[in-house]
Amino acid sequence: MKAFAERKILLSNVGLIDPERIDDYLERGGYGGLRAALERTPADVVEELKESGLRGRGGAGFPTGIKWEFVLKSRGKTRYVVCNADEGEPGTFKDRVLMEGDPHRLIEGMAICGYAVGARRGFIYVRGEYALSIRRLERAISQARERGFLGRGILGSDFSFDIEVRAGAGAYVCGEETALLESMEGKRGWPRIRPPFPADHGFRGRPTVVNNVETLANVPEIVRRGAAWYRTLGTADSPGTKLYPLSGALTRTGLVEAEMGIPLRTLIFDLGGGPPEGRELKGVLVGGAAGAFLAPDELDIPMDFGSLRRIGAILGSGAVLAFDDTACVVDLLGSVLSFFAHESCGQCTPCRVGTAVLVDLLARVRSGNGDASVLDAMRRVTEVMEVASLCPLGQSVGLPVGTALEKFRGEFESHLKRGPCPRCEAATEVHA
Amino acid sequence: MITLKLDGREVRAKKGQTILEVATENGIRIPTLCYLEGLSPKGTCRVCMVEIANRNGKLVPACVTPVEEGLEVITRSERLTRLRRTIVEMLFLERNHICAFCVSNGHCELQDLAVELGMDHVTFPYRYPGLAMDLSHDDFGLDHNRCVVCGRCVRACSEVEGAFTWGFTGRGIDTAVATDLGIPWGLSETCTSCGKCVQACPTGALFERGMATAAQVKSPEIIREVTERRPRVF
């Protein structure tokens, strides 16, 4: 049995360096990955990424090297690298810590990606509320330009690449890559029909790599230390380390980095310190609002893409939101559903109407206005949303609804019978 | 040429055609709502969802999905009827579709869909939003209570008339069509009063002023007639 503890690769500089000083980053080996990449062919770098087995950290877990290969082999000379930094998943604050604490790591990862796929321009689409991230990235970009890590003829090579920061305007759906591209083009942030995928029809219709911040932050170390080293971390299915944002009813909340496959129990009890004294863990919402509710008897699950998928959950952003016996699951699901209703873009019928209907149905459960048919109606709505919504936002709402109803059904039934619990009543005031 | 199967029948299609186009050519009707011949297809209402039998029963919108060699498409099944019915239910409960008082009663694509799919009642709570009308235009009116947010008016205005008067505002359940930057229609400086939006609208949301209940007959086919001699732009 592997002993799991914190293992800092992506966070190795965070808190130790001044993120506004490029020299701090350079002293710790920074831009060594870019230097190493430029000595190899682009196809070689893509091959290294493929061998590393790195999977996208934005939630879907798509193999990064394969995505890069699509773009490298695409027709057309103009290509783009877009970093998805529109971190909006509830309970998720990992990309923010990277951008605020070690912005050059992301810039280096993007430059390597640009070299590997043949792009000359990159964009970082940052959540608008992340003012400090935006400021630090912009400062880091201008420092990187001054030192020749960005701009024309990087490090004496004939590779040119530059990065521009774009701020989002407060829509969760713009974290969906095609909505993000629409937003970057100055349009409404409405997801596109896929296919075509961004790898052949992305920003301004050009082949585009869209990668999450955490994904790109993995790249410099992979190129510097090699795929074989990278594969010693994590699992065969999900190599590497992962950032896990811990929040909710834990003694120590915050961001931890550990190898993929760390059991949820270790994250919660060893790294998170367990629930506050005198309270008992009631459940965990894993993967963000679009994730799954897990019961206390599921804590031995390894936190990687494949293991969670096998039990019908998802790794998502890696967010771990723990709740204890003082929480009401009906109330928690209510927050999740209000969030989705607020963030649905309104483009397709199942999500636009479904998210609103779910809020109405949950209000009936909470107030005890109805019978078990209300719960069935919720499932009928999410079944349609799962298969017929246009983008992952609507498709994923069924996961929190389904798992909450399955694992905490008694709580929903008792609300239907007896009306709002004291916790619901208290929470109503908080939400208002 | 591409060979694929529609409901078990082998058919031939040209590369680049959509499932909906090929089905129509072969006499197979797939229900649609946001689709209108002559406008770019958007695949947003999700009424035209069909099943791909040889891709684990994956559902795709027929109006925007290109045909591929060997595709086995199912356009009608109990599962699809149930799904389409629920989507039409959602459209009915979303706003205030009171057919008996509507100018488009008897000439409404939403109503026709409900009949076709056997949606005789709504099984979820109605929302009853209190939405305003816009009667500021001399010739036409807009009743948001009857709008299904299909965007046909938006596309007719931008793609056919080139006026770009119509657009969307709000998000989620509050998404609505709007003229210019949300000013009353009658004050719009871009509107040419051509009326294509009204003809493209599948329900009574856009109508000619002065119409009595059930009197508003639409001619959405004018969009195809206007565009068919133009070079295809999408």
Side-chain angles (χ1 to χ4, degrees):
Chain A
M1 200 46 198
K2 202 164 174 174
F4 282 95
E6 273 193 274
R7 177 74 198 266
K8 292 188 179 182
I9 310 279
L10 305 182
L11 296 181
S12 57
N13 291 341
V14 174
L16 297 177
I17 65 167
D18 179 348
E20 304 200 352
R21 273 174 41 95
I22 190 169
D23 287 319
D24 279 20
Y25 184 64
L26 291 171
E27 276 160 26
R28 296 176 66 88
Y31 289 103
L34 177 60
R35 226 176 271 278
L38 291 175
E39 284 164 14
R40 305 165 64 172
T41 66
D44 231 31
V45 177
V46 170
E47 201 50 42
E48 191 78 54
L49 258 289
K50 276 172 73 183
E51 277 171 27
S52 75
L54 174 65
R55 296 175 65 172
R57 303 297 199 239
F62 190 83
T64 306
I66 293 178
K67 195 184 263 186
W68 288 18
E69 190 171 42
F70 285 146
V71 176
L72 174 66
K73 291 186 172 165
S74 66
R75 276 177 294 181
K77 271 175 71 181
T78 306
R79 297 162 190 176
Y80 296 105
V81 176
V82 172
C83 171
N84 185 345
D86 193 38
E87 184 173 60
E89 194 62 48
T92 306
F93 41 85
K94 63 188 182 67
D95 298 340
R96 175 182 182 172
V97 170
L98 286 173
M99 292 187 287
E100 290 180 3
D102 196 9
H104 284 285
R105 185 180 295 275
L106 171 59
I107 291 165
E108 184 180 358
M110 284 183 75
I112 295 170
C113 178
Y115 176 71
V117 305
R120 293 172 58 100
R121 287 185 75 186
F123 297 88
I124 310 176
Y125 186 96
V126 189
R127 177 177 177 170
E129 291 90 336
Y130 280 7
L132 183 59
S133 295
I134 292 172
R135 210 171 67 222
R136 292 213 165 135
L137 283 169
E138 280 179 339
R139 183 179 289 242
I141 288 167
S142 76
Q143 288 171 349
R145 268 187 212 127
E146 281 165 23
R147 301 296 182 92
F149 298 115
L150 288 178
R152 279 187 175 280
I154 291 171
L155 296 172
S157 71
D158 56 5
F159 168 60
S160 301
F161 186 76
D162 213 337
I163 297 175
E164 195 181 307
V165 174
R166 296 283 183 94
Y172 170 73
V173 76
C174 288
E176 193 281 332
E177 59 182 11
T178 60
L180 184 154
L181 294 172
E182 289 284 297
S183 169
M184 270 184 43
E185 291 178 5
K187 302 172 189 157
R188 269 175 85 84
W190 274 5
R192 299 174 182 168
I193 298 270
R194 298 183 303 177
F197 290 92
D200 49 67
H201 191 94
F203 181 53
R204 296 176 183 151
R206 310 290 189 167
T208 304
V209 171
V210 186
N211 278 156
N212 171 260
V213 174
E214 187 186 346
T215 312
L216 288 162
N218 271 284
V219 169
E221 294 296 300
I222 291 175
V223 173
R224 214 156 59 101
R225 300 165 81 166
W229 163 78
Y230 193 72
R231 278 201 173 270
T232 63
L233 302 163
T235 66
D237 160 82
S238 312
T241 57
K242 176 81 190 81
L243 301 179
Y244 299 99
L246 309 182
S247 63
L250 294 172
T251 312
R252 290 189 298 274
T253 56
L255 187 67
V256 299
E257 180 176 5
E259 286 185 49
M260 280 274 198
I262 183 172
L264 181 56
R265 186 183 300 282
T266 312
L267 276 177
I268 287 184
F269 286 95
D270 298 352
L271 303 183
E277 214 178 317
R279 308 231 196 114
E280 214 166 298
L281 187 76
K282 182 175 183 176
V284 192
L285 180 57
V286 169
F293 282 94
L294 298 185
D297 63 0
E298 296 176 288
L299 294 186
D300 291 316
I301 186 75
M303 292 286 285
D304 59 68
F305 289 110
S307 304
L308 283 158
R309 179 65 69 187
R310 271 191 289 283
I311 62 161
I314 54 160
L315 180 60
S317 65
V320 172
L321 191 153
F323 50 96
D324 63 30
D325 48 0
T326 64
C328 163
V329 178
V330 177
D331 173 57
L332 265 176
L333 187 64
S335 297
V336 167
L337 293 178
S338 305
F339 171 77
F340 282 122
H342 184 249
E343 297 297 346
S344 169
C345 81
Q347 185 178 205
C348 78
T349 313
C351 179
R352 180 183 72 240
V353 184
T355 51
V357 170
L358 285 170
V359 168
D360 292 348
L361 290 171
L362 194 97
R364 292 192 175 193
V365 176
R366 190 200 286 262
S367 60
N369 174 18
D371 53 30
S373 70
V374 181
L375 305 182
D376 295 341
M378 289 178 73
R379 292 307 296 267
R380 281 200 293 131
V381 172
T382 57
E383 276 163 18
V384 168
M385 290 175 70
E386 276 172 333
V387 295
S389 294
L390 192 151
C391 88
L393 193 157
Q395 290 162 5
S396 62
V397 178
L399 193 54
V401 173
T403 49
L405 288 181
E406 179 195 329
K407 290 161 193 177
F408 301 92
R409 186 157 185 108
E411 213 161 322
F412 287 85
E413 282 168 349
S414 81
H415 280 74
L416 280 168
K417 253 188 233 128
R418 286 185 280 276
C421 68
R423 175 68 202 164
C424 276
E425 307 239 12
T428 310
E429 287 161 31
V430 177
H431 295 324
Chain B
M1 288 299 269
I2 286 172
T3 309
L4 69 152
K5 275 187 180 167
L6 290 181
D7 296 326
R9 181 152 62 96
E10 205 156 271
V11 299
R12 287 164 71 74
K14 290 190 282 287
K15 196 175 183 307
Q17 280 188 299
T18 62
I19 293 174
L20 180 65
E21 286 166 345
V22 177
T24 308
E25 271 178 18
N26 285 278
I28 294 173
R29 173 173 158 78
I30 297 172
T32 59
L33 184 61
C34 71
Y35 175 83
L36 182 61
E37 222 184 320
L39 301 178
S40 66
K42 290 289 171 195
T44 57
C45 74
R46 317 306 272 182
V47 170
C48 73
M49 299 301 278
V50 294
E51 191 176 324
I52 309 296
N54 52 352
R55 287 209 189 134
N56 294 323
K58 184 179 158 62
L59 301 181
V60 298
C63 71
V64 287
T65 306
V67 289
E68 282 173 51
E69 183 65 39
L71 226 48
E72 289 177 29
V73 183
I74 296 170
T75 72
R76 53 188 60 211
S77 67
E78 187 47 44
R79 178 192 182 202
L80 286 172
T81 304
R82 241 189 359 252
L83 178 93
R84 292 170 184 158
R85 200 187 286 147
T86 306
I87 290 171
V88 172
E89 267 188 61
M90 286 178 166
L91 290 168
F92 268 93
L93 72 86
E94 181 179 18
R95 298 200 176 171
N96 303 301
H97 296 279
I98 323 274
C99 301
F101 295 96
C102 180
V103 287
S104 283
N105 190 10
H107 316 286
C108 168
E109 292 182 36
L110 181 67
Q111 193 180 40
D112 291 346
L113 275 175
V115 172
E116 178 180 352
L117 297 167
M119 193 229 82
D120 48 18
H121 65 295
V122 170
T123 59
F124 304 103
Y126 277 94
R127 295 190 51 79
Y128 302 120
L131 300 174
M133 292 174 74
D134 183 343
L135 295 174
S136 58
H137 194 285
D138 287 341
D139 305 324
F140 311 120
L142 161 65
D143 186 349
H144 286 292
N145 294 289
R146 302 168 182 158
C147 176
V148 289
V149 204
C150 68
R152 277 161 48 164
C153 54
V154 178
R155 282 173 281 152
C157 188
S158 57
E159 296 172 9
V160 185
E161 177 64 5
F164 293 88
T165 302
W166 287 104
F168 292 99
T169 182
R171 68 186 196 186
I173 198 72
D174 299 320
T175 306
V177 293
T179 40
D180 285 351
L181 290 171
I183 59 167
W185 194 357
L187 299 180
S188 166
E189 291 182 4
T190 60
C191 177
T192 63
S193 300
C194 72
K196 291 188 183 70
C197 52
V198 178
Q199 298 306 320
C201 173
T203 69
L206 293 178
F207 54 89
E208 295 163 69
R209 295 193 61 169
M211 286 285 172
T213 299
Q216 178 71 67
V217 181
K218 305 244 180 118
S219 308
E221 67 280 358
I222 66 148
I223 300 295
R224 187 197 69 231
E225 288 161 6
V226 174
T227 54
E228 66 192 353
R229 284 173 207 85
R230 293 183 183 177
R232 200 172 154 138
V233 290
F234 47 80

